[in-house]
Amino acid sequence: IVPAVAIIASIVPMIPHVSHINELYGLMLVYSVGSTMLGTSPTAYIADIHSGSTEKEERRSQALAMLRSGGDVGLMAGSGLLGFLTYQTGSFVVPMCTASVILAVSGINFAFNARETVHAHSHTHTHTHKTKH
């Protein structure tokens, strides 16, 4: 998820500065790689963290529904907000940079709060604490 977010967040602010169609082709090629990765990764992640026990598997459908609903709301609200920003500023640069920052912040939030990251950090801290005594 984090690499996909990094790819997309780095490409989006470049789009308004394209001066030739070949530049756009190149950007869209890289963007499509990130988009493909981001399209499947969250679903696979949810399926992975909600497997193993009956309780977790019962919550999987709810988690997947929340993921889809959140994505749909984001697409609707984000499109409207970015259109509004474009209209207000008269520039396509501001909304694209805004979208990139929002995406990057969400990716960073995921990177630091994902179960694996939190677990690795607590394991390292516990291990370090135990070895000091």
Side-chain angles (χ1 to χ4, degrees), residues 34-115:
S35 180
T36 300
M37 291 167 54
L38 192 59
T40 56
S41 297
T43 305
Y45 180 76
I46 287 176
D48 185 43
I49 64 171
H50 286 289
S51 63
S53 71
T54 306
E55 180 184 322
K56 286 182 178 180
E57 292 194 19
E58 289 174 355
R59 293 188 321 210
R60 184 185 320 172
S61 61
Q62 182 181 8
L64 290 169
M66 289 175 62
L67 172 70
R68 282 296 314 182
S69 296
D72 293 343
V73 168
L75 284 173
M76 290 186 297
S79 299
L81 176 63
L82 295 181
F84 177 76
L85 283 173
T86 301
Y87 179 76
Q88 292 297 316
T89 63
S91 170
F92 197 49
V93 175
V94 172
M96 295 303 269
C97 289
T98 302
S100 181
V101 168
I102 291 170
L103 183 61
V105 167
S106 68
I108 292 167
N109 183 44
F110 177 80
F112 286 107
N113 293 307
R115 182 179 73 171

Side-chain angles (χ1 to χ4, degrees), residues 11 15 23-33:
I11 292 298
I15 294 172
E23 293 173 1
L24 183 61
Y25 289 152
L27 288 176
M28 289 297 99
L29 177 68
V30 177
Y31 179 90
S32 67
V33 170

